[in-house]
Amino acid sequence: GESVGLHLPTLSVQEGDNSIINCAYSNSASDYFIWYKQESGKGPQFIIDIRSNMDKRQGQRVTVLLNKTVKHLSLQIAATQPGDSAVYFCAENNYGGSQGNLIFGKGTKLSVKP
Amino acid sequence: NAGVTQTPKFQVLKTGQSMTLQCAQDMNHNSMYWYRQDPGMGLRLIYYSASEGTTDKGEVPNGYNVSRLNKREFSLRLESAAPSQTSVYFCASRAGQGIWGNQPQHFGDGTRLSIL
């Protein structure tokens, strides 16, 4: 099977609870950030993005928070469901890269207990 | 709307064999990317094409070549496969920076490649 989940930090939550996944990014000049969800055997799926001129952005059941002072990004998932079980990656935009090149974190595995 | 389509989904090669991984997108995106994903390493950029007619090296280009055949298609070639190239390969595309600033990349479901 897919080996993406090996050696990853794991967050285990109860169904219905809220989940918070954290990410430290590397470049203080990065200006665009994305969260992706990757299910076993699939490619990364876009969840939500945020630009550096914002500190919070909300989507459906998800919220991304950006703290530029400490170079920290978090993804909050409300009322976590079994279908949310996956590996979550944060990505930052390579500053000045008009090509939109991204630098990916190593990922966090979210496991939802029914 | 298929998005980003990669072929093949699985492949096993012997050391020294050559192989081309295919990628096509139907979203009229300008930029296309090839990544590899290894356990514990996240996604690493191999090559990218900012627009039709241009290609550039990413973080880990050695052992690979690419061709941006047209706006839709971006292929990745392994000329002489090595066991270190065993990985899952993902293609992605992006509309481009545009007037609204950066936009996300959209990914295919990957090619799982094993080199024996």
Side-chain angles (χ1 to χ4, degrees):
Chain A
E2 186 64 66
S3 59
V4 169
L6 290 178
H7 312 301
L8 291 176
T10 299
L11 175 66
S12 186
V13 301
Q14 202 71 37
E15 180 179 0
D17 287 351
N18 296 334
S19 302
I20 300 176
I21 300 171
N22 295 304
C23 175
Y25 64 91
S26 59
N27 189 341
S28 58
S30 290
D31 56 3
Y32 178 61
F33 305 87
I34 308 175
W35 279 101
Y36 286 94
K37 172 186 180 183
Q38 187 175 27
E39 297 173 289
S40 182
K42 300 273 192 176
Q45 176 188 2
F46 169 76
I47 302 174
I48 192 167
D49 58 3
I50 188 167
R51 292 175 174 78
S52 59
N53 61 350
M54 305 170 69
D55 53 20
K56 180 179 180 179
R57 191 170 187 214
Q58 289 184 292
Q60 186 177 12
R61 280 202 309 119
V62 295
T63 300
V64 55
L65 299 178
L66 174 63
N67 185 331
K68 294 182 287 293
T69 302
V70 295
K71 294 190 292 184
H72 184 266
L73 197 64
S74 69
L75 177 71
Q76 300 178 358
I77 304 174
T80 313
Q81 302 168 0
D84 295 326
S85 293
V87 177
Y88 290 80
F89 293 94
C90 65
E92 61 183 296
N93 182 63
N94 186 16
Y95 174 72
S98 60
Q99 299 84 357
N101 294 351
L102 298 175
I103 301 170
F104 284 82
K106 290 182 170 49
T108 296
K109 183 175 182 179
L110 177 64
S111 178
V112 182
K113 296 175 287 187
Chain B
N1 189 344
V4 179
T5 302
Q6 293 184 237
T7 55
K9 296 189 185 306
F10 302 93
Q11 186 70 48
V12 179
L13 293 177
K14 294 181 180 178
T15 297
Q17 286 186 316
S18 61
M19 169 82 190
T20 299
L21 308 186
Q22 306 288 350
C23 175
Q25 52 90 10
D26 61 4
M27 297 175 282
N28 200 36
H29 284 174
N30 290 311
S31 302
M32 297 185 74
Y33 307 81
W34 276 105
Y35 292 88
R36 61 178 289 172
Q37 186 174 41
D38 302 298
M41 299 290 288
L43 286 100
R44 293 183 293 169
L45 183 64
I46 305 171
Y47 269 93
Y48 65 95
S49 171
S51 60
E52 186 179 357
T54 69
T55 61
D56 285 287
K57 295 178 180 179
E59 179 187 354
V60 288
N62 291 344
Y64 305 96
N65 285 300
V66 290
S67 295
R68 182 75 182 265
L69 304 170
N70 47 56
K71 191 171 186 179
R72 288 187 65 247
E73 298 172 288
F74 189 37
S75 63
L76 178 71
R77 183 160 178 86
L78 288 71
E79 288 292 351
S80 179
S84 61
Q85 295 177 304
T86 293
S87 190
V88 183
Y89 290 86
F90 288 100
C91 177
S93 70
R94 174 177 170 272
Q97 194 158 8
I99 61 173
W100 303 112
N102 279 317
Q103 295 164 336
Q105 295 179 19
H106 297 270
F107 287 80
D109 280 337
T111 294
R112 285 140 187 86
L113 185 61
S114 293
I115 318 266
L116 305 177

